[in-house]
Amino acid sequence: EDVRPHLDHTPKTSEPPLPLSPRIMRRSSAENTSPVDAKPQPGHEGNTTPEQDNTAQELNRKLQANLSTDAGKHVVKMNGGLTCFLLRLLRARHWNTDEAVTLCEEILEYRAENGLDSIVNNVIGDQRLQDPANPQYQPEIKDDVVKKIQPTLPCGRHGYTILGQPLEIWRINQLRPADFLNSNSREDIFRWWHFHLESGLQAALDGAAHYKQQLRGTVLVFDLQGFGARHLHSSCIRLLVSLFGIGQSKYPESLSRLYILNAPTLFSGLWNAVKTVLNERTRKKIIMTNKPMHDDLLQLVERSVMPQFLGGSSPCVIGERISSSGASFTAIKVKARSEHRVPIQTNMGMFFGYEFFTDGGNDIKFGIFFFPPGKYTDGTAVESGEEILKLEKAGSSGQDTLTDCKDGTYVLVFDNKYSMMTGKDLRYSVETGGDPTVSPALSLDSPSGRFGGRAVGESVVTGIATPPTPSTPAGSGSKWK
């Protein structure tokens, strides 16, 4: 990449109606450690060509009327100033000024329709969004809708990178799609999302000012540790695609990097479908690994800021309130000297996911056994089946997804027979679906998109889980079709 500081060029065109900031190479204080993005990327302030400068001035003239309004001045301010905003528009539209003008007009119209200029002030007043000295800091939410939505999603900002980029984390394991959709309206979710995106612009401005760095976008981290069948909820997937589509189209170039950590095989089918709706520039910003950390992210985030669940030393409660609720779980009491079984009927190629925990942190034995069709009844000794997971003490919680299932019955066994006096309060959920590696099975553009003939995770399976029925439309019985 060409990161040479450019000499000042005399443009061949006349002076623009609005003053552009000088094209200066701003050197990072962290340049010696060479973290990713420490130097301005090509097409960003401080690393533009003379041709790109002229294109930006041409766009500036075309947008004179739009950006001279109060709404235009506000969007310019929120995007780091005139030059930064113009370059963002141009990068998003491959340096085509006519398309960049259209994009700007769409952004201004969308902002006006949704009252985005005032949403941050309406939600938190004059409080600061983040505290660079305290990654755990969260402002008090004064808007009832945002206050209701925010605790039900396992995402949030947690400090800054060494380059002043807001660090945003999504703990996908804690997401309960069915609970989330059943308890929140689409209108409320979109209001929360608008606040989230708009506050992200402000957080990036605050970070750049505090760290005395060039304005950069958010660093987004998706932690897929524990990703399972319930996360393949078709209605929730379509909603999330819509939300991130707003970020891509109405907040162009506000994402710096997306790190997807702990990506399991189960995620591949979903990823093949989702990436088709992302533009090329966004896809190039995504780094995915099946490991719990990536070297580039380690260089960007101080250990004192990195959350403990990502190997850092900073306490972080993102998603913890959700993970302990168990709202959609089946609750039972496994009496002392007894066991509880959950049979799951499967067809070839299906998968199923399970999750459980005990109240009070009491341990319990857990195992999985398989029986061919017709070989399992309630009185069958589980030890006579094929051992899939050894029956042994599993602590107070567990979760996993089994893929490529066979025809027959899988039996989950919760064994408390070793406890002579203490019963265990157990919560568990099981969800099933078709082959997760076949991406065409999920259509993100159609409300009738299917996984294995029905929407995965539209309901929580308890007792005996029946295999998918091809004639059942995805999302049947759900308001999120």
Side-chain angles (χ1 to χ4, degrees), residues 398-415:
Q399 63 178 10
D400 203 350
T401 296
L402 275 69
T403 59
D404 197 22
C405 293
K406 298 178 286 188
D407 287 328
T409 303
Y410 290 81
V411 182
L412 310 186
V413 181
F414 298 95
D415 186 348

Side-chain angles (χ1 to χ4, degrees), residues 97-342:
T97 56
D98 290 336
E99 292 183 5
V101 168
T102 299
L103 175 59
C104 182
E105 291 172 345
E106 291 172 349
I107 291 172
L108 291 173
E109 181 180 2
Y110 188 85
R111 294 180 64 85
E113 290 175 350
N114 294 280
L116 301 187
D117 287 0
S118 59
I119 193 169
V120 173
N121 185 66
N122 292 340
V123 173
I124 66 168
D126 59 358
Q127 301 174 84
R128 57 186 173 184
L129 282 163
Q130 293 182 235
D131 182 357
N134 178 17
Q136 294 85 27
Y137 168 81
Q138 295 291 331
E140 178 187 357
I141 303 299
K142 300 180 179 181
D143 180 272
D144 290 340
V145 170
V146 176
K147 185 183 294 186
K148 174 177 176 286
I149 297 287
Q150 192 147 295
T152 66
L153 276 172
C155 66
R157 297 187 189 93
H158 189 81
Y160 290 93
T161 72
I162 61 175
L163 300 178
Q165 301 150 300
L167 179 64
E168 181 179 329
I169 299 169
W170 286 65
R171 299 185 70 183
I172 301 301
N173 178 37
Q174 275 71 20
L175 179 63
R176 310 282 188 227
D179 293 345
F180 175 66
L181 297 182
N182 289 334
S183 59
N184 299 304
S185 71
R186 190 179 186 90
E187 180 182 2
D188 287 352
I189 292 172
F190 272 72
R191 176 166 175 77
W192 165 81
W193 185 241
H194 288 147
F195 165 71
H196 187 74
L197 291 172
E198 195 70 9
S199 61
L201 291 181
Q202 186 61 58
L205 289 172
D206 295 344
H210 178 82
Y211 288 87
K212 296 180 174 57
Q213 292 284 338
Q214 184 182 40
L215 178 66
R216 296 172 172 87
T218 292
V219 170
L220 186 57
V221 178
F222 275 16
D223 179 14
L224 298 188
Q225 178 68 39
F227 182 90
R230 74 169 183 272
H231 300 111
L232 298 175
H233 188 299
S234 61
S235 296
C236 191
I237 291 171
R238 287 195 296 272
L239 172 67
L240 291 176
V241 169
S242 296
L243 296 180
F244 283 102
I246 294 172
Q248 182 176 254
S249 63
K250 303 304 185 291
Y251 292 79
E253 296 293 303
S254 59
L255 173 68
S256 181
R257 295 282 175 180
L258 167 56
Y259 294 91
I260 302 176
L261 309 178
N262 293 303
T265 302
L266 183 67
F267 181 68
S268 60
L270 173 60
W271 173 244
N272 287 336
V274 170
K275 70 181 182 182
T276 62
V277 303
L278 303 177
N279 63 42
E280 182 181 0
R281 285 193 58 83
T282 300
R283 290 199 300 270
K284 288 182 177 180
K285 297 177 181 179
I286 299 173
I287 299 173
M288 181 160 53
T289 177
N290 59 6
K291 298 179 180 179
M293 183 48 64
H294 192 276
D295 289 344
D296 288 353
L297 186 58
L298 279 178
Q299 292 184 42
L300 278 173
V301 184
E302 298 281 2
R303 187 173 185 276
S304 60
V305 175
M306 189 77 77
Q308 292 173 343
F309 57 82
L310 292 179
S313 61
S314 177
C316 180
V317 297
I318 292 175
E320 292 299 328
R321 177 175 171 180
I322 305 172
S323 62
S324 63
S325 66
S328 63
F329 286 46
T330 296
I332 64 167
K333 191 174 189 70
V334 185
K335 296 180 180 179
R337 293 174 285 181
S338 69
E339 67 178 20
H340 180 73
R341 300 181 183 181
V342 181

Side-chain angles (χ1 to χ4, degrees), residues 384-426:
S384 65
E386 177 187 350
E387 183 182 88
I388 303 299
L389 181 66
K390 184 178 180 180
L391 182 64
E392 58 186 3
K393 284 188 178 180
S396 61
S397 64
Q399 63 178 10
D400 203 350
T401 296
L402 275 69
T403 59
D404 197 22
C405 293
K406 298 178 286 188
D407 287 328
T409 303
Y410 290 81
V411 182
L412 310 186
V413 181
F414 298 95
D415 186 348
N416 195 34
K417 290 185 287 188
Y418 65 93
S419 181
M420 301 304 293
M421 300 183 64
T422 305
K424 308 294 171 61
D425 292 315
L426 173 71

